[in-house]
């Protein structure tokens, strides 16, 4: 009887600590990956904007690639804006969420507003897939450890000669 109560108590403690660790590590992983993916999207936007500026230096002809790239001549320079926005994407035939970077540049004596966008939905889908995969794997590991420790605890009682 003592064996069963002790095994139950240690099992409850193990499960409680495991659940807490799983929850904390999943939340930490989610926020870390979300920030990492957001930084990557912003880096991609800044890289695209730099390529467009270089292109405008060589060829001042305006071009558009809606909704991903928009270039406009403006009368004066403004400040950089980085935001999330929802825009109709004709290639997807639906409203999509984009991360948008709008910058202003003086190139060859003319002022331009350069707006570049990156689709956010893809990075969100990747984030969800990684977090769910992590949860499944860590849950399987904890379940395996739980049952392995139960077997080890039973063997410990047999070895020490404690009666059931």
């Amino acid at each position: 009887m003592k064996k069963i109560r002790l095994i139950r108590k240690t099992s409850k403690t193990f499960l409680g600590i495991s659940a807490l660790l799983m929850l904390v590590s999943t939340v930490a992983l989610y926020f870390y990956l979300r920030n990492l993916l957001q930084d990557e999207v912003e880096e991609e936007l800044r890289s695209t904007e730099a390529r467009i500026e270089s292109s405008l230096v060589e060829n001042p002809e305006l071009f558009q690639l809606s909704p991903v790239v928009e270039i406009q001549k403006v009368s004066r320079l403004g400040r950089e804006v980085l935001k999330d926005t929802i825009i109709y994407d004709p290639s997807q035939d639906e409203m999509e969420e984009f991360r948008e970077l709008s910058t202003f540049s003086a190139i060859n004596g003319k002022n331009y507003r350069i707006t570049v966008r990156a689709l956010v939905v893809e990075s969100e889908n990747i984030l969800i897939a990684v977090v769910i995969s992590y949860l499944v794997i860590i849950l399987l590991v904890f379940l395996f450890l739980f049952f392995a420790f139960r077997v080890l605890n039973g063997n410990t009682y047999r070895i020490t000669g404690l009666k059931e």
Side-chain angles (χ1 to χ4, degrees):
M1 198 57 135
K2 288 182 182 180
K3 172 186 168 186
I4 293 172
R5 283 189 298 195
L6 185 59
I7 287 177
R8 281 188 185 154
K9 186 174 181 175
T10 58
S11 295
K12 284 181 184 179
T13 303
F14 179 81
L15 287 175
I17 291 171
S18 298
L20 180 66
L21 288 174
M22 191 166 53
L23 178 67
V24 169
S25 64
T26 301
V27 169
L29 177 68
Y30 173 81
F31 285 110
Y32 172 74
L33 284 177
R34 189 182 76 182
N35 288 337
L36 183 68
L37 288 171
Q38 189 172 354
D39 289 347
E40 287 300 315
V41 168
E42 289 174 17
E43 185 178 320
E44 177 188 340
L45 290 173
R46 293 187 190 286
S47 176
T48 302
E49 184 263 337
R51 283 190 215 114
I52 291 169
E53 280 185 2
S54 297
S55 175
L56 285 173
V57 167
E58 295 173 13
N59 181 11
E61 191 73 30
L62 296 181
F63 60 91
Q64 307 291 328
L65 184 57
S66 186
V68 179
V69 175
E70 293 178 7
I71 304 168
Q72 296 174 332
K73 286 185 183 178
V74 293
S75 58
R76 59 188 167 141
L77 299 177
R79 62 183 190 96
E80 178 180 291
V81 177
L82 183 63
K83 65 179 183 176
D84 291 326
T85 186
I86 297 176
I87 299 174
Y88 177 76
D89 185 0
S91 68
Q92 301 287 329
D93 194 29
E94 62 186 355
M95 300 297 282
E96 296 283 357
E97 184 178 353
F98 287 87
R99 187 81 172 151
E100 177 181 283
L101 173 65
S102 292
T103 60
F104 293 84
S105 296
I107 301 171
N108 297 333
K110 296 178 184 167
N111 296 329
Y112 295 95
R113 182 177 72 195
I114 302 169
T115 302
V116 291
R117 298 182 185 100
L119 197 57
V120 174
V121 175
E122 293 172 1
S123 62
E124 285 293 322
N125 290 342
I126 292 169
L127 176 63
I128 300 291
V130 169
V131 168
I132 288 174
S133 299
Y134 172 78
L135 265 175
V136 168
I137 291 168
I138 198 130
L139 181 63
L140 290 173
V141 167
F142 281 130
L143 287 174
F144 173 78
L145 288 174
F146 173 74
F147 289 113
F149 281 124
R150 279 191 80 141
V151 169
L152 286 173
N153 281 340
N155 289 340
T156 302
Y157 283 111
R158 245 192 318 269
I159 291 171
T160 59
L162 292 174
K163 295 182 180 181
E164 296 183 27

